[in-house]
Amino acid sequence: MEINLEDIFQNKIDNEVKIEPRDWMPEKYRKTLIRQISQHAHSEIVGMLPEGNWITRAPNLRRKVALLAKVQDEAGHGLYLYSAAETLGMTRDEMYNELHTGKAKYSSIFNYPTLSWADMGAIGWLVDGAAIMNQVPLCRTSYGPYARAMVRVCKEESFHQRQGYEIMMSLCNGTPEQKTMAQDALNRWWWPSIMMFGPNDDNSPNSAQSMKWKIKRFSNDELRQKFIDVTIPQAELLGLTVPDKDLKWNEARGHYDFGIINWDEFNNVVAGNGPCNKQRLKARVDAWNNGEWVRDAANAYAQKRKNRVKSGQQAA
Amino acid sequence: MNKEEITFQYLLHLGDNSLILGQRIAEWCGHGPILEQDIALTNISLDLFGESRNIYQYAAQLKGDNHTEDSLAFLRDVLEFKNVLLVEQPNIDWAYTICRQFFFDTFHFYLQHELLKSKDERIVEIANKAIKESAYHLKWSSEWMIRLGDGTEISHQKIQNAVNDLWEFTGELFIPSEIETLAYQSGIGADLNNIKQLWHEKVKAILDEATIQIPTNDFFQKGGKNGIHSEHLGFVLAEMQYLQRVHPGAEW
Ligand SMILES: [Fe+2]
Ligand SMILES: [Fe+2]
């Protein structure tokens, strides 16, 4: 009887058995995962920049420490995810290279500028909030190392989301200027956050295969709807207006209806024409290039130590 | 000057050093040369902010008049800041950042040990908390000094330059201000003379291992402890305090 590796593989997936690094897997599954996990890792690292922009300007010491710790968490997420992607046979340096040469993408949301302190609130609340919607199902994704990385990531993301919402709450309970700041931040971050779930389902070419492999468990539109449904009451509680005139509760569907998404804008930002694409990439490339002599020094020193230990052993 | 005022002013010396250095190294977050080291440096920044908050909270309590940790950090101007010149120097690159950190960490570590002898219980408590952190900071920056000094020719040159340039800011650490002298005499503050010797021994040991020459110039810049700073501090504060200045009295 002939045993088909692909059948065994799909069987495991259907039975919710995790795929591990040494298991056989279709080449396309491996490639899809490397692409997705490395893009996710890049998003964490590039995602440090818009919020990093406000660390030195945070309005008080408590907020400063919380923001700094949050941005540091994102660095940690990047680390877990690069490690998970490395188990599929691509090194971190190779992944960096793809980011720096523009071959690999990262989440487009980070190509928008942070213009006021309220953006720290809006990002935590909406961007981390949308990330959680996307990521909680990934805790059960079929590839073991990815799923385990996501369990750690998700715990911290929900903390970030609460922290962001709390910043919004303080602003909305504050002076008229602060409330204006909060509304302005919501106006600018709402639609980009909605776009974080990706193209509509009928326009999402890779989704079906990813669902079959249980890399993905919900469609883009399902997740987007879920996000909108939980976020609207939160905005109402803040006393802020979501910038969508078509937004209304649909009793029959049991969901909010919402306006048409500006996919031209989305595609433009993905194509590199967002307000901060160039600055974000430049910041990463500069950090890498300026750090080269540091990494060289660390490697050279480690090598010298190894040699000294070796020659010490030979002498003994 | 009464004892409370001496303690208050002395706390500003301590807290301002940690706050300004924490602020400086926070500028690195997201831009470090190695992801793991970005995280490590941010940890140090978080520790320093944490320590400065403990110090300012105590200082605010002593001062009364609605002072808070934030009024002390965000509503004082350059002339009222008591930090040493070393900590406000710009990051420039990884070598300068490491060197500034190492010089400060060595001082900070021995300072905490001295402060454990303080007659002021709160100061002992704060030092006791910070001492484990400063031991880790010193280990981290010492290792980097050695790695850069004994790494490649380029890294050796860069760290040697940083040592040469920052050396003139190290003397101030041990030249007591009037407040530090009063604080020491009343049993609250540290004996900087004790720390000076330990500092020089430690720095020499690490620089030797790193194959870095110790500068021979013995002219030292000073002034920070009395509020006479370099031009850099005004910009650090302008950035840090801007929201509090634009929105007076707002809650965040
Ligand atoms: Fe994250
Ligand atoms: Fe996050």
Side-chain angles (χ1 to χ4, degrees):
Chain A
M1 198 176 71
E2 197 181 316
I3 301 168
N4 183 328
L5 289 169
E6 186 127 18
D7 289 346
I8 298 173
F9 170 82
Q10 189 61 48
N11 230 315
K12 275 192 201 161
I13 291 196
D14 294 343
N15 291 305
E16 300 291 336
V17 176
K18 292 270 176 274
I19 306 301
E20 294 300 333
R22 298 168 76 166
D23 294 348
W24 184 89
M25 62 187 83
E27 209 37 42
K28 183 137 185 283
Y29 177 83
R30 181 190 301 277
K31 287 220 167 96
T32 303
L33 275 172
I34 288 180
R35 195 189 66 229
Q36 181 171 333
I37 302 172
S38 66
Q39 285 187 10
H40 190 166
H42 299 327
S43 300
E44 301 285 355
I45 300 307
V46 176
M48 296 170 75
L49 299 171
E51 287 176 286
N53 185 33
W54 279 87
I55 291 168
T56 56
R57 291 180 291 170
N60 62 34
L61 293 175
R62 182 173 76 94
R63 293 290 186 205
K64 185 189 286 292
V65 167
L67 179 63
L68 184 55
K70 189 213 164 177
V71 178
Q72 186 193 38
D73 283 348
E74 307 301 0
H77 299 171
L79 266 189
Y80 309 155
L81 288 161
Y82 283 125
S83 303
E86 281 188 310
T87 63
L88 292 157
M90 191 182 216
T91 67
R92 208 203 292 182
D93 284 4
E94 287 169 332
M95 291 183 258
Y96 281 149
N97 187 51
E98 292 202 333
L99 173 68
H100 298 155
T101 55
K103 198 179 161 217
K105 300 276 181 228
Y106 55 86
S107 180
S108 278
I109 192 82
F110 301 119
N111 290 318
Y112 290 89
T114 51
L115 303 178
S116 82
W117 171 252
D119 290 12
M120 301 304 100
I123 290 180
W125 172 36
L126 301 173
V127 176
D128 289 83
I132 293 166
M133 281 297 163
N134 269 327
Q135 292 173 7
V136 166
L138 289 174
C139 297
R140 296 189 298 127
T141 197
S142 59
Y143 187 58
Y146 191 23
R148 289 188 288 273
M150 290 318 298
V151 172
R152 299 169 72 181
V153 169
C154 281
K155 266 188 214 147
E156 293 176 350
E157 296 299 5
S158 54
F159 185 73
H160 297 167
Q161 200 260 351
R162 264 179 306 193
Q163 192 170 290
Y165 191 71
E166 203 225 315
I167 290 175
M168 294 303 273
M169 195 57 106
S170 300
L171 295 174
C172 290
N173 290 333
T175 65
E177 289 84 358
Q178 285 176 303
K179 182 136 194 199
T180 304
M181 209 188 269
Q183 180 65 55
D184 163 72
L186 174 58
N187 293 349
R188 284 181 290 108
W189 291 95
W190 175 256
W191 287 105
S193 302
I194 296 300
M195 294 180 202
M196 278 176 74
F197 297 92
N200 289 129
D201 293 348
D202 43 15
N203 239 327
S204 184
N206 301 321
S207 282
Q209 181 65 76
S210 283
M211 298 275 254
K212 187 176 173 224
W213 280 334
K214 294 192 181 167
I215 294 174
K216 235 175 126 107
R217 287 180 182 262
F218 298 97
S219 78
N220 295 352
D221 286 332
E222 280 173 310
L223 291 167
R224 185 172 6 250
Q225 182 70 59
K226 212 172 151 196
F227 173 73
I228 291 172
D229 289 347
V230 303
T231 307
I232 299 304
Q234 295 171 354
E236 282 167 359
L237 197 62
L238 291 171
L240 296 177
T241 309
V242 173
D244 177 357
K245 60 179 173 28
D246 299 318
L247 191 87
K248 63 170 188 297
W249 177 250
N250 182 327
E251 192 65 52
R253 286 205 310 130
H255 290 294
Y256 282 94
D257 290 339
F258 52 95
I260 294 164
I261 294 169
N262 182 350
W263 292 114
D264 281 348
E265 176 183 328
F266 177 80
N267 292 327
N268 247 317
V269 180
V270 172
N273 298 321
C276 295
N277 291 59
K278 292 187 184 73
Q279 292 93 315
R280 299 293 184 238
L281 197 56
K282 182 178 185 303
R284 287 315 314 159
V285 171
D286 286 352
W288 181 254
N289 290 342
N290 295 336
E292 190 174 8
W293 70 270
V294 179
R295 295 188 299 276
D296 288 349
N299 291 336
Y301 178 72
Q303 194 56 47
K304 278 187 200 177
R305 276 194 57 148
K306 228 198 236 159
N307 295 345
R308 277 175 209 154
V309 170
K310 238 191 242 159
S311 59
Q313 281 166 346
Q314 277 161 5
Chain B
M1 210 181 286
N2 68 24
K3 199 168 166 183
E4 282 206 345
E5 185 60 22
I6 294 170
T7 309
F8 174 75
Q9 294 287 338
Y10 186 65
L11 288 168
L12 294 183
H13 278 69
L14 301 175
D16 292 350
N17 279 339
S18 296
L19 175 69
I20 299 301
L21 186 57
Q23 175 81 358
R24 271 296 187 211
I25 56 183
E27 293 171 22
W28 270 103
C29 185
H31 305 276
I34 301 165
L35 190 49
E36 285 83 347
Q37 300 304 328
D38 197 306
I39 293 173
L41 196 53
T42 300
N43 266 334
I44 296 175
S45 179
L46 285 167
D47 287 344
L48 291 172
F49 284 135
E51 190 202 355
S52 69
R53 291 182 69 187
N54 289 336
I55 294 169
Y56 289 147
Q57 282 164 13
Y58 178 32
Q61 192 186 320
L62 283 179
K63 196 73 175 168
D65 303 334
N66 295 325
H67 272 290
T68 64
E69 57 173 18
D70 291 322
S71 70
L72 293 175
F74 293 86
L75 300 177
R76 281 182 300 141
D77 204 352
V78 175
L79 296 173
E80 297 161 278
F81 266 77
K82 310 281 186 209
N83 61 278
V84 292
L85 300 172
L86 176 68
V87 297
E88 70 200 40
Q89 298 310 306
N91 292 340
I92 302 183
D93 66 8
W94 189 252
Y96 274 83
T97 300
I98 291 295
C99 179
R100 184 186 61 199
Q101 196 64 38
F102 171 65
F103 287 160
F104 181 78
D105 288 343
T106 309
F107 170 74
H108 198 210
F109 175 72
Y110 292 120
L111 175 69
Q112 309 291 357
H113 277 274
E114 278 292 306
L115 289 177
L116 291 181
K117 300 182 222 157
S118 171
K119 283 184 192 154
D120 186 304
E121 277 176 33
R122 275 288 283 279
I123 289 182
V124 173
E125 200 184 300
I126 292 167
N128 217 351
K129 235 183 126 196
I131 207 161
K132 285 179 222 98
E133 296 167 356
S134 13
Y136 163 77
H137 303 169
L138 178 56
K139 181 172 181 287
W140 183 85
S141 58
S142 300
E143 285 170 1
W144 269 106
M145 289 299 287
I146 295 166
R147 213 173 269 138
L148 296 181
D150 195 16
T152 63
E153 257 173 63
I154 293 172
S155 69
H156 178 84
Q157 198 51 55
K158 280 181 187 277
I159 192 71
Q160 180 71 62
N161 289 346
V163 168
N164 295 348
D165 285 353
L166 290 171
W167 189 256
E168 66 172 346
F169 298 111
T170 58
E172 188 190 13
L173 294 167
F174 312 107
I175 303 169
S177 68
E178 196 193 327
I179 295 295
E180 283 176 314
T181 302
L182 289 172
Y184 171 58
Q185 283 166 354
S186 53
I188 301 162
D191 180 357
L192 293 180
N193 257 325
N194 275 352
I195 303 174
K196 183 178 183 177
Q197 201 189 336
L198 293 166
W199 186 91
H200 276 279
E201 283 166 14
K202 176 72 179 176
V203 167
K204 185 174 180 338
I206 297 296
L207 293 193
D208 282 350
E209 194 178 344
T211 73
I212 299 167
Q213 300 284 322
I214 296 181
T216 49
N217 59 313
D218 54 4
F219 184 84
F220 296 112
Q221 301 294 335
K222 60 182 201 297
K225 289 177 177 182
N226 295 315
I228 308 301
H229 290 274
S230 61
E231 290 177 346
H232 301 297
L233 187 65
F235 291 96
V236 172
L237 297 186
E239 190 170 337
M240 182 174 82
Q241 298 179 339
Y242 122 83
L243 278 169
Q244 290 275 354
R245 301 291 189 182
V246 175
H247 303 274
E251 300 271 347
W252 300 92

